[in-house]
Amino acid sequence: MNQKKISDASGYIKEQLKETPLIGLILGSGLGVLGEEIENPVIIPYTDIPHFPESTVSGHKGQLVVGILEGKQVIAMQGRFHYYEGYSMEQVTFPIRVMKDLGIKSIIVTNAAGGINESFQPGDLMLITDHINNMGNNPLIGKNDDELGARFPDMSQGYDREYIKHAETCANEIGISVQKGVYVGNTGPAYETPAEVRMLKIIGGDAVGMSTVPEVIVSRHAGIRVLGISCISNMAAGILDQPLTHHEVIETTEKVRENFLKFVKKIISTLP
Ligand code: HPA
């Protein structure tokens, strides 16, 4: 990872900000609306930021929104970079390095995911307790920059336990129920086969998606505390006897929009 590229990007962003963002937000498929709640937003399209890749999927906007949410300085990514789009792992996780350089201490990573756990229902929100990297790659492969993090970073608490507890308390307070579980990161872009979903269940997965794992690995490498939230947009292939579509994924995330917004705002307002 090239430190100059990181500081080029963060320098460009800093020029436009008056305050230092403390909380990063990655808004997944259909969940970008949270960015619209940010007050006094500074909006920066990815295409304007030096060395930032361009987002290519519909349902993803491709811009940073920086400002105040629930009294906290936040920096939100409306749209992320996926490995299946053809970006390298370094490109996928570049924004994390940049947000770290800007000063964030915590990150809330969100995604849409298919439910593997049969007690889940489409529309459920799941707090990610842990992940399984099933992508066959790792963003930290290559020469390690010791200034950025350890060669062999600990992943025993990838998802911050205090944050999970905090999020559960918030869910109780606003009267919504949330699931907890293990997120499996697959490359996509094809959805899983029913046989693959059965395998993912056996290896301990509760939900499956095509993002998040690289960003969380790099966040932990950088010492950023992570909270992960999956919106269960559909049941994974083969659980119900029906085909999967991206349309269904977006439709479900739109249905849970109100709960999702309320939940994440509550979490941010009192995040330790
Ligand atoms: N599988 C993989 N990624 C997904 C799914 C799924 O079922 N739903 C939303 N993202």
Side-chain angles (χ1 to χ4, degrees), residues 22-25 103-108 163 224-226 271-272:
L22 287 178
I23 304 173
L25 291 166
I104 67 158
K105 306 283 183 237
S106 322
I107 194 159
I108 302 178
Y163 281 6
I224 300 166
R225 296 176 75 181
V226 175
L271 192 72

Side-chain angles (χ1 to χ4, degrees), residues 29 112-115 183 186 188 190-192 208-210 231 233-237 244 249:
S29 301
Y183 176 90
N186 270 6
Y191 289 118
E192 301 69 36
V208 55
M210 307 175 191
C231 169
S233 55
N234 56 279
M235 293 313 288
L244 265 56
V249 169

Side-chain angles (χ1 to χ4, degrees), residues 3 17 37 77 92 108 136 160 202 215-216 224 229 264 272:
Q3 186 64 54
L17 306 182
E37 310 264 321
M77 292 181 69
V92 168
I108 302 178
D160 194 282
I202 290 166
E215 293 120 310
V216 170
I224 300 166
I229 306 171
V264 179

